[in-house]
């Protein structure tokens, strides 16, 4: 294994060289938004918009991999576009998010129910401790681009978040991003 420089465009999220990519559209995130009727309407009217794209760089044999997540601005009934949110399958592994451009909120939740928020503004590097669920939310009017770094063995566990939701949601209230209790959260 040899060192390599990887170019990351902080405005677009492009990674060169990249080794993998996936896109999440609004229709694929139906379970995480509060107003599914409005979500269905937006999918029909706007042609199922992209909510976020992930590009990764993975070097065979390395214990780390990294990449970018580029989130589009948007809302569903005032609830900002967000990622699915996940815990790691390996409960002893954390992650790092470094915001390149745009403005967001990193919503974190421990398995014991403690919630924390880290603002995602350019230059902010967020530490995500092991065994904390994390979800990124674009609260701005432009793309939110951040770099993430993680252990390749951490894995993703989406099950609890999809089944129960997260305890908090982030909504637009009078032009300000507001964190509030999730009315659909279930234990």
């Amino acid at each position: 294994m040899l060192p390599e420089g990887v170019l990351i465009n902080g405005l677009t999220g492009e990674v060169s060289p990249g080794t993998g990519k996936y896109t999440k559209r609004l229709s694929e995130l139906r379970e995480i938004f509060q107003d599914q009727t409005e979500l269905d309407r937006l999918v029909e009217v706007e042609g199922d918009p992209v909510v976020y794209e992930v590009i990764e760089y993975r070097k065979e044999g390395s214990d780390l991999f990294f990449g970018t997540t580029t989130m589009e601005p948007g809302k569903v009934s005032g609830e900002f576009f967000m990622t699915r949110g996940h815990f790691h399958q390996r409960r002893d592994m954390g992650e790092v998010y470094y915001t390149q451009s745009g403005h967001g909120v990193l919503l974190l939740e421990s398995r014991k129910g403690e919630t924390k928020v880290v603002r995602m503004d350019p230059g902010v590097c967020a530490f995500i401790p092991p065994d904390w669920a994390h979800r990124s939310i674009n609260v701005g009017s432009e793309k939110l681009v951040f770099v993430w770094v993680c252990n390749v063995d951490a894995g993703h566990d989406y099950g609890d978040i999809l089944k129960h939701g997260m305890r908090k949601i982030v909504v637009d209230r009078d032009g300000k991003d507001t964190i509030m209790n999730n009315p659909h959260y279930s234990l």
Side-chain angles (χ1 to χ4, degrees):
M1 185 177 341
L2 296 172
E4 183 173 7
V6 176
L7 180 63
I8 294 176
N9 184 316
L11 296 176
T12 67
E14 286 299 316
V15 176
S16 181
T19 60
K21 177 193 272 192
Y22 69 87
T23 300
K24 286 292 172 194
R25 295 186 170 276
L26 191 56
S27 64
E28 298 173 276
L29 302 171
R30 191 171 200 285
E31 300 89 1
I32 66 172
F33 286 94
Q34 303 293 303
D35 188 343
Q36 294 182 357
T37 302
E38 176 63 8
L39 184 144
D40 291 340
R41 189 191 73 75
L42 288 171
V43 167
E44 185 176 322
V45 170
E46 295 184 17
D48 201 10
V50 169
V51 175
Y52 63 95
E53 177 181 75
V54 175
I55 303 173
E56 73 175 36
Y57 173 83
R58 186 183 300 236
K59 190 79 159 179
E60 185 67 36
S62 176
D63 61 335
L64 295 176
F65 75 125
F66 61 89
T68 60
T69 299
T70 303
M71 299 187 65
E72 297 296 329
K75 298 174 207 159
V76 177
S77 292
E79 192 174 15
F80 292 100
F81 278 9
M82 65 184 117
T83 61
R84 290 179 286 181
H86 64 275
F87 285 99
H88 289 158
Q89 289 174 324
R90 285 276 310 265
R91 294 174 84 159
D92 62 335
M93 295 187 172
E95 193 167 359
V96 172
Y97 285 2
Y98 182 65
T99 305
Q100 300 288 290
S101 59
H103 299 281
V105 169
L106 177 59
L107 185 60
L108 300 120
E109 183 176 305
S110 74
R111 290 191 193 267
K112 295 177 183 176
E114 185 178 3
T115 59
K116 296 288 182 189
V117 171
V118 175
R119 301 298 305 190
M120 297 179 76
D121 296 314
V124 173
C125 189
F127 169 66
I128 302 165
D131 215 23
W132 280 70
H134 40 288
R135 169 179 280 163
S136 304
I137 301 143
N138 184 348
V139 300
S141 58
E142 58 196 27
K143 289 182 182 188
L144 171 65
V145 179
F146 60 93
V147 174
W148 49 266
V149 181
C150 193
N151 187 291
V152 295
D153 295 328
H156 296 91
D157 176 1
Y158 299 104
D160 283 345
I161 302 302
L162 287 176
K163 183 176 180 182
H164 303 288
M166 290 185 82
R167 286 173 167 83
K168 304 288 184 185
I169 60 173
V170 182
V171 297
D172 182 343
R173 290 289 182 260
D174 301 320
K176 293 185 178 184
D177 54 280
T178 304
I179 297 156
M180 58 184 278
N181 290 332
N182 180 352
H184 295 130
Y185 176 76
S186 66
L187 286 175

